Amino acid sequence: MDSEALKKYSALHPKPAGLTLQYGTAGFRTKADQLDHVMFRMGLLAVLRSKAVASTIGIMVTASHNPEEDNGVKLVDPLGEMLHPSWEEYATQLANAEEHELQQTITAIFQKAAVNQHKDASVFIGRDTRPSSEKLSQSVIDGIFVLGGQYHDYGLVTTPQLHYMVCCQNTQGQYGKATLEGYYEKLSKAFTELIKQSSSSGERQKHLKIDCANGIGALKLSEMEPYFPKELLIQLYNDGTKEKLNHLCGADFVKVHQKPPRGLDMKPNERCCSFDGDADRVVYYYQDTTGLFHLIDGDKIATLISIFLKELLAKVGQTLKMAVVQTAYANGSSTHYLEETLKVPVHCVKTGVKHLHHKAQEFDVGVYFEANGHGTVLFSKDAETKIRRLAKEEKDNEKREAAKVLENMIDLINQTVGDAVSDMLVIEAILALKGLTVQQWDAVYTDLPNRLLKIQVADRRVIDTTDAERRVVTPPGLQEKIDALVKKYKLSRAFVRPSGTEDVVRIYSEADTQENADALAHEVSLAVYHLAGGKGAPPQP
């Protein structure tokens, strides 16, 4: 390590005094003007991680669904998965080290993580469309350069595209070609093969309006359009030419406010969807003839995919184990439908994509989605090998055809991470193959009315949870109080959990009516306020 070069470059990316940041599920995220030193240092860390695992590592510059003024950075591990938890700790240490401690912090990571200094390092870089992203990715490159790493800058890409490239590179092309063309070709070929099987059920069905959150999704869908078959008719809105990123639009806005985004003109019963700012989440919605807005969130997406895959798995006649992984935020009706009607096992894990992904890896076919629209499907190596073999060799026509559909599904799904483009194509293919309208999909089950609230507290750490965050352990008396409140309402449940990023406690409630869900959430918020050190005035109904 050239300590003079490190000193010189580090001085070009000074750390603001007194600023401490934490590497969380979403990496680092804050105001863009506070991130220059973090980007430089994550360039350093990516080189260390690459040497430690002797593989290419990814760095994505994005703040996803946050406002345009923010930015962020996350590292991508060799198979396109999120950074290993033990390295999240190193990332935090490195980002917060004072200027004079930087070299010894790097040396400490070298030793603790048993990094082989003599290995080559290779890093893939991508960025979103924020005004600050280009300059910040340049700071990443400085960090890589100082520690002698090689890099490939993909420039403007969606977050899932970068995850995909990293996986392709480290599987020596087994997962696909590590280029944008490779990504477009693999997905569009699988999609085209799938919809060949569909009886063309009216042209109206194929129309889809997409709100791109004024982000990278618009750019990449435009690039991909020539690859799409003529059956797929998409119209892009909020394409970033006029308005600000994520402003009154995007998947997060639509999910939270339960209303259509600005800039998308909806007619009754038209199928619409929204991506978020870096295109790793998607939600669907429509307006019925009475003008009522219907949101189809991640729970319903997981259900549609599960119905489809379960039918196919039954047809190929293999004993492959399928399961759905959810968090406590999944609507109770979706869990009930999956377990009771579809007879698919459902597992609940802590909030955060890494927990869902990890659990889904335990099954032959693991479907996971968060209610916010982030999710994917994982196929075990064994399941994939069986399915591809049946698609080639099976004598029975029906079995072979079902295996071919599954094989195309495997190729269409981005198994590295939730991917709005890939998930949207999966949904469009399933709707076409099953001849379903968006209304029929929505009617599979009815969501229980629910409410999300947050309460400011002096210290979020006073709340400790268990049972995948569905029950509170501390402070004493709070869970008993919640249990008593839940008993007052029909079909109800409620849970509270500390936020991962700020001193607030998040409250979720469900009940038979919206009025009751609201009342329950309010009563639980009062209990949290009084028993967990609420700040400011007590919550008002």
Side-chain angles (χ1 to χ4, degrees), residues 172-223:
Q172 285 71 51
Q174 268 183 305
Y175 193 66
K177 285 208 291 266
T179 62
L180 277 172
E181 291 71 41
Y183 172 92
Y184 297 146
E185 278 164 8
K186 181 179 171 180
L187 268 63
S188 58
K189 180 173 171 281
F191 179 74
T192 306
E193 285 300 317
L194 281 166
I195 62 163
K196 267 184 197 162
Q197 322 263 335
S198 76
S199 52
S200 53
S201 52
E203 277 316 292
R204 192 180 54 78
Q205 272 315 299
K206 302 286 192 293
H207 265 283
L208 175 68
K209 291 184 166 178
I210 306 176
D211 153 35
C212 298
N214 290 311
I216 186 74
L219 232 65
K220 298 297 138 181
L221 277 176
S222 304
E223 281 176 16

Side-chain angles (χ1 to χ4, degrees), residues 34-206:
Q34 299 189 326
L35 280 168
D36 182 51
H37 71 294
V38 173
M39 297 294 171
F40 170 69
R41 292 166 183 210
M42 289 308 101
L44 303 172
L45 189 74
V47 171
L48 299 182
R49 180 69 180 149
S50 176
K51 286 174 182 283
V53 291
S55 304
T56 296
I57 293 297
I59 286 197
M60 185 68 199
V61 178
T62 181
S64 189
H65 56 276
N66 281 35
E68 194 174 272
E69 306 67 67
D70 292 0
N71 217 322
V73 59
K74 44 189 171 186
L75 271 72
V76 178
D77 254 359
L79 292 178
E81 71 278 62
M82 293 162 98
L83 182 64
H84 193 277
S86 62
W87 279 71
E88 289 183 5
E89 194 47 49
Y90 299 147
T92 301
Q93 287 163 7
L94 198 55
N96 295 325
E98 293 306 331
E99 225 46 56
H100 63 276
E101 306 165 331
L102 194 56
Q103 181 152 3
Q104 67 198 66
T105 309
I106 293 170
T107 307
I109 296 170
F110 260 120
Q111 288 163 352
K112 270 193 251 169
V115 176
N116 181 346
Q117 301 212 29
H118 306 295
K119 283 265 185 259
D120 288 338
S122 145
V123 183
F124 282 180
I125 309 165
R127 65 172 192 273
D128 71 10
T129 55
R130 291 163 198 273
S132 58
S133 290
E134 190 170 1
K135 186 172 172 295
L136 289 175
S137 70
Q138 204 44 59
S139 308
V140 169
I141 290 170
D142 281 356
I144 297 167
F145 173 76
V146 167
L147 289 185
Q150 300 291 313
Y151 69 89
H152 181 81
D153 184 3
Y154 281 93
L156 293 164
V157 286
T158 70
T159 296
Q161 284 175 334
L162 187 77
H163 283 257
Y164 176 92
M165 307 295 178
V166 171
C167 182
C168 291
Q169 182 69 13
N170 291 314
T171 56
Q172 285 71 51
Q174 268 183 305
Y175 193 66
K177 285 208 291 266
T179 62
L180 277 172
E181 291 71 41
Y183 172 92
Y184 297 146
E185 278 164 8
K186 181 179 171 180
L187 268 63
S188 58
K189 180 173 171 281
F191 179 74
T192 306
E193 285 300 317
L194 281 166
I195 62 163
K196 267 184 197 162
Q197 322 263 335
S198 76
S199 52
S200 53
S201 52
E203 277 316 292
R204 192 180 54 78
Q205 272 315 299
K206 302 286 192 293

Side-chain angles (χ1 to χ4, degrees), residues 319-321 360-366 377-388 410 415:
T319 50
L320 294 172
K321 268 178 57 183
Q361 286 172 323
E362 294 176 19
F363 309 98
D364 291 317
V365 182
V377 185
L378 305 183
F379 293 85
S380 70
K381 268 282 151 269
D382 184 39
E384 189 175 326
T385 308
K386 271 186 186 162
I387 289 163
R388 292 196 193 275
I410 290 171
Q415 293 184 57

Side-chain angles (χ1 to χ4, degrees), residues 319-392:
T319 50
L320 294 172
K321 268 178 57 183
M322 174 170 148
V324 177
V325 187
Q326 297 183 325
T327 71
Y329 287 112
N331 195 280
S333 290
S334 72
T335 313
H336 188 263
Y337 177 85
L338 287 163
E339 289 182 329
E340 302 303 320
T341 307
L342 209 54
K343 303 276 188 263
V344 170
V346 177
H347 297 267
C348 186
V349 297
K350 280 164 68 169
T351 304
V353 178
K354 57 185 175 191
H355 303 297
L356 289 141
H357 194 90
H358 189 71
K359 186 70 184 173
Q361 286 172 323
E362 294 176 19
F363 309 98
D364 291 317
V365 182
V367 180
Y368 76 81
F369 271 84
E370 291 187 291
N372 64 26
H374 185 285
T376 187
V377 185
L378 305 183
F379 293 85
S380 70
K381 268 282 151 269
D382 184 39
E384 189 175 326
T385 308
K386 271 186 186 162
I387 289 163
R388 292 196 193 275
R389 197 182 62 238
L390 287 168
K392 242 210 312 276

Side-chain angles (χ1 to χ4, degrees), residues 408-422:
N408 283 313
M409 271 289 165
I410 290 171
D411 289 335
L412 183 54
I413 291 164
N414 185 346
Q415 293 184 57
T416 63
V417 72
D419 181 339
V421 175
S422 156

